[in-house]
Amino acid sequence: MNRFKWEIAGVIVALGVLVSACGNGSAKAVSQDTPVVPADKKVLVVYYSDTGNTKAVADKIAKETGADEFRLELTKPYTEENLDYNDDDSRVSREHENPSLRHVEYTGDVANWKDYDIVFIGYPIWWQQAAWTVEPFVKNHDFSGKTVVPFATSAMSDIGDSGKNLAFLAGGNGKWLDGERFSGKASAAEVREWLQSLSF
């Protein structure tokens, strides 16, 4: 009987150790109710979208974070023909080959820029870099004191060094986090999982 009791006790102790180990594991499921950004932070999503793919992701980010949105509207928008990367004579191809042709201007600007603590910047990937349509915005704004999060959309290309290059254009101002690349069909769950992985 004593031996039986000791065996039972051993099983109970082993189960206790197992439960404790599982409870202290580094991989934990994140609740759907977990805030994706600190409640005291004001958030802005700035983006350029030529086909609607980047807009779709930007909208999901804004919904999850409660952010304001600012879409970069160009004074001279790109047409579908302008964006034909397979045509060496298309606008985007010529601008890629000759940066001096990139006369990019956008309409309007962000109201109360200084009030924002976290800024997401979204863009399509062109030739493994951020679409140069976002460059004037980055150059013209002071990101000091802000956390900046790049995100990109592309069918195949990764985000690469596009975020780091934008940080360089910003003069090193702001805290620039590593960005993420999404497909145009990224789900709300994918976007939320990424947001919850960020450290603000």
Side-chain angles (χ1 to χ4, degrees), residues 23 120 141:
F120 289 85
H141 289 79

Side-chain angles (χ1 to χ4, degrees), residues 110-132:
V110 177
N112 303 318
W113 170 253
K114 293 183 178 180
D115 294 343
Y116 292 100
D117 305 293
I118 300 172
V119 180
F120 289 85
I121 298 183
Y123 45 85
I125 293 292
W126 290 355
W127 284 275
Q128 288 75 53
Q129 289 297 331
W132 44 85

Side-chain angles (χ1 to χ4, degrees), residues 12 14 19-20 30 34 36 39 46 69 75 89 94 96 98 121 136 151 164 169:
I12 291 173
V19 171
S20 177
V30 180
T34 302
V36 294
V46 178
E69 291 187 70
T75 56
D89 197 43
R94 285 185 284 108
H96 171 249
N98 186 356
I121 298 183
F151 67 95
K164 294 179 181 179
L169 289 179

Side-chain angles (χ1 to χ4, degrees), residues 117-192:
D117 305 293
I118 300 172
V119 180
F120 289 85
I121 298 183
Y123 45 85
I125 293 292
W126 290 355
W127 284 275
Q128 288 75 53
Q129 289 297 331
W132 44 85
T133 48
V134 299
E135 292 182 0
F137 182 89
V138 172
K139 291 178 180 178
N140 293 336
H141 289 79
D142 182 5
F143 291 88
S144 298
K146 303 184 188 299
T147 298
V148 191
V149 191
F151 67 95
T153 55
S154 172
M156 296 178 61
S157 300
D158 197 356
I159 194 169
D161 291 331
S162 60
K164 294 179 181 179
N165 292 336
L166 290 179
F168 178 80
L169 289 179
N173 294 322
K175 175 186 175 183
W176 288 71
L177 303 185
D178 291 336
E180 185 64 63
R181 170 262 177 196
F182 296 94
S183 71
K185 298 181 180 179
S187 68
E190 288 179 81
V191 173
R192 183 178 181 84

Side-chain angles (χ1 to χ4, degrees), residues 48 50-51 76-84 90-92:
Y48 170 75
D50 49 30
T51 63
K76 185 181 178 183
Y78 290 82
T79 65
E80 185 175 350
E81 291 76 16
N82 291 160
L83 293 169
D84 186 352
S90 70
R91 176 183 172 187
V92 75

